[in-house]
Amino acid sequence: MEYYQIAVDGPSGSGKSTLAKGVAAKLGILYLDTGAMYRACGLKAMKSGIDTKDQVAVEQMMQDIKIDITHENGEQHVWLDGEDVSKEIRMPGVSVAASDVSAMPFVREAMVSLQRKISEGKNVILDGRDIGSKVFPNAKYKFFLVADAKERAKRRLAELKEKGATDVTFEEVLHDIEYRDQQDATRAASPLVKVEDAIEIDTTSISIEGTLEALLSYIHE
Ligand code: DC
């Protein structure tokens, strides 16, 4: 039996995870949030007191990192060295650390091989930055989501507040998003790019429900 992959790429806050989750639930396939893996690497660096730009220290750290992904009732859990860090990786600060370490080729190689291993023998939808370009270049469907930076910051702030981060401001979130946009799109190793065969959807002024409908209609066509 042939299995298929669906790639959802785009910058942070473009709606990737909500949409990929929605598509996965509709089609009854596995959803894999690849950003969570880079977040776990970034969190480990922060916890170890490592400078997230220090390639030598991060490479050393990656020697004995253990990242596991499990799914319970459709929710993804991320385990770092035996500890469930699913909540911790969403806290402010971790996103920039994740972006920093994700620019390092040895971090990417380890995570990409884990993503392919988890996807083996399954139909799966993955969201990230390099799914259509690198992880699964032969994915059956490829989507590239974009949205205005201010709108993305607004969404991210609402999400953070919902998760209990009350002291974070709009300006901080916008700064974080602009920093990552720049770094994720200009790094040498698998930068964020829209591949030629991806369908681009601008989610700035359409609702999640509307975008989900659009994705599903492409898939059903
Ligand atoms: O999707 P996210 O915001 O949780 O991702 C956190 C960081 O991880 C993001 O700034 C860049 C990096 N990332 C990546 O380089 N490649 C992926 N496939 C997913 C995330």
Side-chain angles (χ1 to χ4, degrees):
M1 182 174 166
E2 274 283 313
Y3 296 99
Y4 67 85
Q5 300 91 30
I6 303 176
V8 184
D9 290 301
S12 62
S14 54
K16 298 185 304 287
S17 63
T18 315
L19 289 163
K21 231 187 243 179
V23 172
K26 262 271 191 277
L27 302 181
I29 64 175
L30 183 77
Y31 162 55
L32 186 61
D33 167 6
T34 66
M37 298 179 182
Y38 294 97
R39 284 173 178 269
C41 298
L43 179 64
K44 173 144 181 160
M46 287 169 75
K47 284 188 164 187
S48 317
I50 288 171
D51 172 2
T52 51
K53 290 276 195 188
D54 182 342
Q55 295 232 16
V56 176
V58 174
E59 191 161 13
Q60 179 83 30
M61 176 196 93
M62 291 300 291
Q63 302 292 318
D64 61 355
I65 195 169
K66 195 165 171 352
I67 295 177
D68 291 302
I69 302 289
T70 57
H71 290 88
E72 282 166 41
N73 307 321
E75 281 298 313
Q76 173 173 305
H77 287 256
V78 187
W79 301 78
L80 170 63
D81 299 328
E83 189 193 344
D84 186 346
V85 293
S86 313
K87 286 216 171 75
E88 224 177 317
I89 56 165
R90 299 292 155 202
M91 289 300 117
V94 182
S95 41
V96 164
S99 175
D100 286 349
V101 300
S102 75
M104 302 175 190
F106 48 86
V107 172
R108 304 205 67 79
E109 273 160 35
M111 295 308 109
V112 169
S113 96
L114 185 57
Q115 288 153 27
R116 290 187 180 139
K117 196 165 152 243
I118 294 171
S119 306
E120 244 169 44
K122 295 177 192 80
N123 297 321
V124 57
I125 180 163
L126 304 91
D127 81 20
R129 305 292 186 288
D130 59 339
I131 308 303
S133 61
K134 177 85 198 225
V135 184
F136 287 114
N138 296 320
K140 190 165 178 190
Y141 305 100
K142 296 181 185 180
F143 297 101
F144 193 81
L145 302 181
V146 294
D148 172 75
K150 287 207 173 83
E151 174 61 28
R152 291 188 280 125
K154 221 169 83 190
R155 292 177 193 165
R156 188 62 103 198
L157 183 68
E159 215 177 274
L160 286 169
K161 293 239 149 123
E162 205 183 287
K163 287 183 176 135
T166 47
D167 54 349
V168 52
T169 67
F170 175 79
E171 284 67 32
E172 282 165 350
V173 177
L174 181 62
H175 177 266
D176 176 303
I177 280 187
E178 286 172 341
Y179 173 93
R180 290 200 288 146
D181 278 0
Q182 163 74 12
Q183 175 157 272
D184 298 346
T186 57
R187 68 187 178 210
S190 310
L192 170 71
V193 280
K194 178 192 168 294
V195 287
E196 224 173 84
D197 52 344
I199 298 161
E200 181 168 326
I201 301 177
D202 187 333
T203 70
T204 308
S205 46
I206 32 174
S207 66
I208 289 293
E209 295 74 26
T211 319
L212 181 59
E213 285 300 311
L215 292 200
L216 288 168
S217 72
Y218 280 116
I219 292 168
H220 289 136
E221 242 168 41

